[in-house]
Amino acid sequence: MIKRTATWLAVAFGAAFIVATQVPHAWAVYAQSRGYAAGKVYTGVLPTSAEDALSYYGWMRQGQEGEYAFADRFTVEEHRKLYVNVFYGPLGWIAGVTGASIPAVYAAARVAAAAALLAALWWFAGLCFERRGARLACFAMAAVSGGWEGPYNWFVRNRGWEPVSSPGWWTPEISTFFSTMTIPHFDAAFALQVLAVGFMVVAWRSGAAATRFAAASGATLLGLVFFHPYEVVTCAAVFGLYPLLAAAVERRAPWRDLRMSAIPMAIVAPAILWNAWLFSRNPAFRAMDEQAVMTTPELSKLALALGASGLLAVGALFGVRRMTPAQRVAAAWLVGSLFAAHLPFRFQRRLLGGIQLPIAVLAAFVLATWVVPWLASRMAGRARVAAALLVLVMVPLHAATPYYLRDIEWRQVRRFGHPTWIAVPDRDLLSELDRRTGPDDAVLASHALGMLVPGLAGVHTFVGHYSLTIDSEAKSRDVARFFGADTDDAWRRDLVARWGLDYVLWTSHERALGAFDPASVPWLEEVARFGESDGLAVLYRVAFAASTSPSP
């Protein structure tokens, strides 16, 4: 009965958690249905993650078209279609089969990935804690994790204190709530990471079945490496560190555990090498790696983001001898994450992904092993009262950051800004572009509009994403020069010819870059227009045959 009650409490908590994360999206859909954003359409992406989320629309679009290996349509350079994404590719296929829109499937994926993660977390918390109260605490803290910046923000808003910067405000990878609200593949990656580590927990403590669980861990990592390989690096650090930690604590040789650790890494190693080759040899994906520099935040900023649970987790490391094997795995996971995040990679920050999960285990260990018993001893043995007092203290510390994160996103959504919302003429222009073009065509547009092109029109854009567009800064300058009123027209024609551009888009975003009117040159042919006045959106086809050929 107690076991069933705990499970239902976890289910109720998980449902409330998912609902809370989707409030900004639900409001946006409601606002659009009620006409609050006159002349604008909700794209399904929140402001903080908009540019990245629209790039995922681009991957989904190729899956919708039946592609298995993807090209980078956020750049126009020639490159082989070699990128495989086993998360967004199938989502695009679902959109193609069902006829649902890409934003709708993306929204459903947020909920589905969150549910899968919560189920994995409940299972993993059960490996770490036998007592239901501790298991529930671990589960809740893994789902709703927040740093010191949230409680501090109350004083910022209500007492006029100076704001503080923290990766907790802009790094979904270290927050289950933030990830669930914005980017579904983070939750999916966390779920597979939890399963991979959990399978190894079972393997390390099993007898004859150990090899099968280690192989299951490897199979899980094999799926993970084809859409978010960063967590695989962290898992490798955990799998190498835990056997050494367990051997030191238990005063035994680590060889059996290390042999178990070698099984999943051997399974996933070829895929890791393939990814390494792809991101070093393919020009589009090499540029993505080189331009997306994500260094680990300085220690003080990271400590601010990890909050009270992070502080408890560090304290737990001093009690490693009192931990169960599964809890020691969490200790190795925390240390392994911090170690991996300081390796000399450009994607250091990504290696912190999921760090909130072992922190929740270790924080729950401290509370259940030391804090609650100590409080109960001061309260005539009333452990339940002591636990209730801790809940009253911990909930505001944990919930404040997620609350403000949701509030910040919701406020931004209510401002109806681009690209969370796009003007109806711009939407119609992209639909017309989709109707007229094939996947190999390329368009010239501002960065603001270009980021929408691959996902909503299915063609290449000259510039559209800070890391997926090769040499994106230089190309952004070229676009600004193209739409400048004083630019020599021969230069414009050379740019279009050199990069093989087929269409030029002219909306309020392009007009904001300069006063050039594409209708003023004979080599751009108007093929469609939507809206009027400031909201005018015009599609031009490059037609050099109608004018002087561009200079060589």
Side-chain angles (χ1 to χ4, degrees):
M1 180 66 179
I2 295 176
K3 180 178 179 180
R4 236 180 346 206
T5 300
T7 301
W8 280 113
L9 283 172
V11 170
F13 178 88
F17 168 85
I18 292 175
V19 169
T21 61
Q22 301 309 302
V23 166
H25 299 284
W27 184 88
V29 172
Y30 173 77
Q32 181 169 302
S33 69
R34 300 291 293 178
Y36 294 167
K40 293 189 176 182
V41 179
Y42 180 54
T43 58
V45 300
L46 296 183
T48 297
S49 61
E51 187 167 0
D52 285 341
L54 290 170
S55 75
Y56 309 140
Y57 283 12
W59 303 131
M60 290 175 65
R61 174 60 186 255
Q62 294 184 63
Q64 186 183 42
E65 295 168 359
E67 296 287 349
Y68 177 74
F70 298 161
D72 177 6
R73 291 179 178 170
F74 289 88
T75 200
V76 293
E77 286 83 354
E78 290 289 335
H79 60 279
R80 294 176 63 190
K81 296 197 296 185
L82 294 172
Y83 180 62
V84 176
N85 190 303
V86 300
F87 185 79
Y88 288 113
L91 288 184
W93 179 83
I94 291 171
V97 169
T98 63
S101 69
I102 284 176
V105 175
Y106 187 83
R110 280 197 306 268
V111 175
L117 172 59
L118 292 172
L121 286 175
W122 182 243
W123 171 69
F124 188 75
L127 293 178
C128 296
F129 298 98
E130 291 184 3
R131 296 181 62 182
R132 301 300 163 188
R135 184 182 185 184
L136 277 168
C138 174
F139 174 73
M141 286 191 289
V144 183
S145 55
W148 299 111
E149 70 282 319
Y152 181 89
N153 198 54
W154 186 90
F155 294 96
V156 173
R157 292 198 178 190
N158 297 283
R159 295 292 183 268
W161 289 16
E162 288 295 320
V164 295
S165 176
S166 161
W169 291 132
W170 41 264
T171 307
E173 301 99 304
I174 64 173
S175 168
T176 308
F177 189 96
F178 203 175
S179 295
T180 303
M181 188 169 60
T182 54
I183 299 178
H185 78 258
F186 283 170
D187 274 6
F190 296 159
L192 292 185
Q193 188 180 25
V194 167
L195 290 176
V197 174
F199 287 144
M200 286 307 300
V201 168
V202 179
W204 282 318
R205 71 187 190 187
S206 295
T211 301
R212 291 200 297 271
F213 282 104
S217 178
T220 304
L221 293 181
L222 195 58
L224 179 57
V225 80
F226 282 105
F227 73 92
H228 210 246
Y230 310 107
E231 283 82 7
V232 178
V233 178
T234 302
C235 285
V238 177
F239 295 171
L241 184 59
Y242 170 74
L244 303 180
L245 174 63
V249 171
E250 299 170 14
R251 298 183 180 180
R252 58 175 175 81
W255 310 125
R256 178 191 176 277
D257 289 346
L258 285 172
R259 285 196 299 272
M260 287 298 103
S261 296
I263 293 172
M265 297 317 303
I267 291 172
V268 78
I272 293 175
L273 292 174
W274 184 86
N275 268 272
W277 178 87
L278 173 65
F279 281 85
S280 61
R281 297 291 182 177
N282 188 290
F285 297 100
R286 182 176 67 246
M288 184 178 81
D289 177 42
E290 292 173 348
Q291 293 180 132
V293 178
M294 295 171 284
T295 56
T296 293
E298 57 192 77
L299 187 59
S300 61
K301 300 292 187 183
L302 187 58
L304 185 65
L306 298 183
S309 288
L311 191 61
L312 291 172
V314 171
L317 298 178
F318 293 96
V320 69
R321 293 186 180 277
R322 296 191 60 179
M323 294 179 184
T324 65
Q327 292 164 354
R328 286 179 192 148
V329 171
W333 189 347
L334 173 60
V335 174
S337 293
L338 292 173
F339 169 76
H342 289 85
L343 293 173
F345 298 135
R346 279 182 287 270
F347 49 82
Q348 284 180 330
R349 195 188 81 207
R350 293 286 195 218
L351 300 179
L352 291 170
I355 196 172
Q356 73 275 16
L357 309 179
I359 283 178
V361 175
L362 297 177
F365 165 79
V366 170
L367 296 176
T369 305
W370 292 325
V371 179
V372 169
W374 180 82
L375 283 175
S377 69
R378 299 293 189 276
M379 302 171 65
R382 297 176 180 174
R384 291 186 178 180
V385 176
L389 288 175
L390 274 178
V391 169
L392 292 175
V393 173
M394 295 300 295
V395 165
L397 293 178
H398 268 258
T401 301
Y403 170 81
Y404 284 119
L405 284 169
R406 191 193 69 169
D407 183 63
I408 290 167
E409 295 295 330
W410 196 359
R411 288 187 180 200
Q412 291 294 327
V413 169
R414 292 198 293 267
R415 291 174 181 169
F416 304 110
H418 183 91
T420 298
W421 300 83
I422 61 172
V424 169
D426 294 353
R427 187 272 314 271
D428 294 341
L429 179 71
L430 293 171
S431 297
E432 180 67 16
L433 181 65
D434 185 13
R435 189 183 70 81
R436 287 178 173 271
T437 56
D440 295 328
D441 287 328
V443 305
L444 179 72
S446 63
H447 174 270
L449 195 63
M451 69 174 77
L452 292 150
V453 166
L456 300 186
V459 296
H460 289 260
T461 182
F462 181 66
V463 63
H465 189 276
Y466 68 93
S467 68
L468 289 172
T469 299
I470 296 177
D471 204 2
S472 60
E473 292 185 3
K475 286 181 179 172
S476 293
R477 290 193 296 268
D478 284 344
V479 171
R481 182 179 176 185
F482 181 93
F483 288 103
D486 299 329
T487 301
D488 179 68
D489 194 53
W491 181 90
R492 290 195 187 97
R493 289 184 288 118
D494 284 345
L495 179 76
V496 168
R498 184 167 68 251
W499 294 107
L501 304 178
D502 303 289
Y503 290 88
V504 173
L505 309 186
W506 195 55
T507 70
S508 60
H509 304 289
E510 288 71 36
R511 290 192 289 276
L513 297 176
F516 168 64
D517 183 355
S520 65
V521 296
W523 52 271
L524 288 176
E525 175 189 357
E526 180 181 325
V527 293
R529 67 167 48 208
F530 305 92
E532 56 187 22
S533 189
D534 292 341
L536 180 66
V538 186
L539 176 63
Y540 289 93
R541 184 176 66 86
V542 175
F544 284 123
S547 179
T548 306
S549 298
S551 59

